[in-house]
Each structure stands twice: as C-alpha cells, then as structure tokens.
Amino acid sequence: MSNIYIGYHFTIAPKELGSEILIAELGETAFESFTETETGISAFVQKDLWDETILKDIQILSSDEFEIEYTFEEIDQVNWNEEWEKNFEPIDVDGNCHVRAPFHPKTDAEFDIVIEPKMSFGTGHHETTHMMIQHLLEIDVKGLKTLDMGCGTAILAILAEMKGAQPIDAIDIDNWCYLNSIENAERNNCKHITVYEGEAALLKDKKYDLIIANINRNILLNDMQAYVDCLNPNGTLLLSGFYTEDIPYIEASCTEKGLTYVKKFERNNWVSLKYVN
C-alpha cells in the first residue's frame, strides 16, 4: 500500500448540504477519508488509486446550486499522522466515557477508550460519535448481539463490548477503517468484536438485538430495509450521521418499515435518533 496520498481541499457554499452531497459522491470513488474544515471538506485518496479524471463523475461540481472550488496536493503519510496528533481532540461524554488517542492522558472515566486516529477518524464526526455514545450509555446492552455498521474506528463497538454486549460485528466499506478497527479492538482488549470489510450485503441472514449505524443520510436511507430485516423483535436501532433537516426523511423511512421512534439527541445541527422494532 502506498504511503503517499492526494489530498483535495474543497471550499463549498452552502457548506453543510454541499459537504454531505460531495462526501456521498466522493465515497463512490477511490476517496477513503474525509475531514470537515471551516469552509468545506478535505478528501484523501491513495496516489496509487488516483488519476486526473477522478472527479469527472462528481455531479455536484457542475451544479448551479453550489459554489465549489478546490485545490489538491500530495501528502506524505508520516506527516499526515503527525497532523492527526496536532488536531485530534479527545471526546468526553458526560464524564462517563472518554475517547482518546494513545498520546492523551488517561482519565477517571468509567469507560476509557483508546484509539489510534489515523486516516479513518474525522474530526467532523465528533458530534455524531458523542451522541451515539450518549445513547449507548443509557441502554442496558449486556448480552445483546450487536452490529456497528459503518464502524469507522470501532469506537462504538468497543464501548458496546465494555458495557457487556456480545457478540459484536463491526462493518465498514473503507479498507483503512477495517484495518484500524481491528487494531483498536485489540488495543482495547476486546474479545467479542469481529470486523468485516464490506457493506449492507453482508447482513443477509444475520440477526441482531442492537444495530448502531453512524454513516450518512443517503446510505442510511438506501440500507434501512436491510437493517430492519436483521433486527430482532424488540430490537433497538441507533442512527446518526445526518443533520436536523434530514429528520423527516429518516423518520418517514423508519415509520414505513414499522419502527417506533423513542428518542433524539441534537448537537451542533447533527442528530442521532433511537428507534425500536
């Protein structure tokens, strides 16, 4: 695997909706990691998988509804990891759960999760991760068969195991996330997490008591039926990765499929919803 990446830096207006659409479209190509910036997003692709036509099918770039400009550069992987160490801030959820990198000091939180950020952790996901952790802290997950869909760094799967859930499947389509999740599960001495690289097709014939899906609106809506099909009776579905204005779309899909709304968290216009089967 190449240690050289091509980093694209997009300035987007309007930012929030444009960023969501752009990430969804770039996610269908070889781009494998995204971070939010003050003016838009940055996106990263391995140089070995890059060519000058990589953006040719990205429709939002030619949309009249958005103003998007970008630059790109080569980034050495070693320097990139140093940047993560400068910018990655630990997550403290209500003093009960602390998500930190190895270079952060240990705290007295009941649940102390250590992750190596690398390229699969985006600072823009702090809000959604924070809210999903809040949901998990409130739920008795002991003995629940659990799915962490779009697991990223496996933070949520790790917390679920710390609270007694097992067995746990963690799935991500991104190879960096897959590898990083395996590392982080081992780093936190998890024994009941199995990590898979793939998408919703892996859920066929699976059954879970608890499904955690922190992805984005478009993927959630596309895969919602797959989640419902593998959710056991009285099972719980936790959703995040979308904005307040996306709630009607998520709500309509869940209600249509027989799920019952339970609770909502909101944080800086990001949302996390809880449903039961």
Side-chain angles (χ1 to χ4, degrees):
M1 182 180 292
S2 170
N3 285 328
I4 304 298
Y5 278 74
I6 305 296
Y8 280 75
H9 309 292
F10 295 91
T11 299
I12 307 167
K15 177 188 171 184
E16 287 188 352
L17 180 58
S19 295
E20 179 183 353
I21 296 172
L22 181 57
I23 289 173
E25 290 196 45
L26 293 176
E28 297 298 320
T29 69
F31 283 93
E32 61 183 45
S33 184
F34 309 93
T35 62
E36 291 188 19
T37 65
E38 290 185 2
T39 57
I41 66 166
S42 292
F44 304 91
V45 57
Q46 290 182 45
K47 186 177 181 181
D48 290 348
L49 302 177
W50 173 87
D51 64 50
E52 294 180 354
T53 66
I54 196 167
L55 299 182
K56 69 180 178 66
D57 294 324
I58 307 302
Q59 298 181 10
I60 190 175
L61 296 180
S62 57
S63 171
D64 294 333
E65 298 180 23
F66 302 92
E67 295 181 8
I68 302 179
E69 298 179 352
Y70 65 87
T71 60
F72 63 93
E73 62 178 336
E74 285 193 9
I75 300 174
D76 184 84
Q77 176 64 9
V78 174
N79 292 337
W80 175 238
N81 282 336
E82 289 175 358
E83 286 302 308
W84 276 126
E85 293 200 12
K86 293 177 187 175
N87 296 309
F88 175 64
E89 294 294 334
I91 303 169
D92 186 348
V93 181
D94 302 333
N96 296 321
C97 180
H98 193 217
V99 182
R100 61 184 177 90
F103 47 83
H104 293 135
K106 190 180 187 308
T107 69
D108 294 329
E110 180 180 3
F111 302 104
D112 181 58
I113 301 174
V114 181
I115 66 157
E116 183 69 50
K118 294 190 176 178
M119 293 192 69
S120 54
F121 191 90
T123 55
H125 293 290
H126 280 192
E127 291 90 345
T128 59
T129 304
H130 188 284
M131 291 182 293
M132 293 293 260
I133 289 173
Q134 284 183 293
H135 279 303
L136 286 173
L137 290 175
E138 292 184 352
I139 299 172
D140 180 4
V141 302
K142 189 173 183 179
L144 297 187
K145 187 173 182 180
T146 299
L147 168 66
D148 183 0
M149 193 70 191
C151 57
T153 54
I155 291 172
L156 301 174
I158 291 166
L159 175 59
E161 173 160 336
M162 287 181 172
K163 292 200 66 192
Q166 63 168 291
I168 301 167
D169 290 341
I171 299 176
D172 205 292
I173 195 171
D174 184 309
N175 181 256
W176 268 98
C177 293
Y178 164 74
L179 296 173
N180 195 213
S181 291
I182 292 174
E183 293 175 2
N184 288 325
E186 293 175 351
R187 180 174 287 107
N188 289 274
N189 301 311
C190 293
K191 308 299 183 185
H192 304 290
I193 297 174
T194 304
V195 184
Y196 299 92
E197 182 177 358
E199 51 190 12
L202 293 175
L203 302 180
K204 185 178 180 182
D205 299 324
K206 297 278 192 176
K207 287 294 183 181
Y208 300 98
D209 305 305
L210 171 64
I211 296 177
I212 306 161
N214 183 11
I215 313 179
N216 66 54
R217 187 193 75 173
N218 293 337
I219 294 178
L220 291 175
L221 292 174
N222 184 69
D223 294 342
M224 193 72 73
Q225 189 61 58
Y227 304 153
V228 173
D229 289 344
C230 63
L231 189 62
N232 282 327
N234 301 313
T236 298
L237 175 63
L238 303 178
L239 302 171
S240 196
F242 49 92
Y243 299 111
T244 303
E245 51 266 33
D246 296 322
I247 291 176
Y249 303 100
I250 300 295
E251 172 69 19
S253 179
C254 290
T255 301
E256 176 191 19
K257 294 170 179 59
L259 298 176
T260 301
Y261 167 79
V262 177
K263 189 167 185 176
K264 171 179 68 176
F265 286 114
E266 291 188 60
R267 189 176 178 86
N268 298 329
N269 202 43
W270 291 93
V271 180
S272 181
L273 302 178
K274 176 182 178 181
Y275 288 88
V276 294
N277 196 6

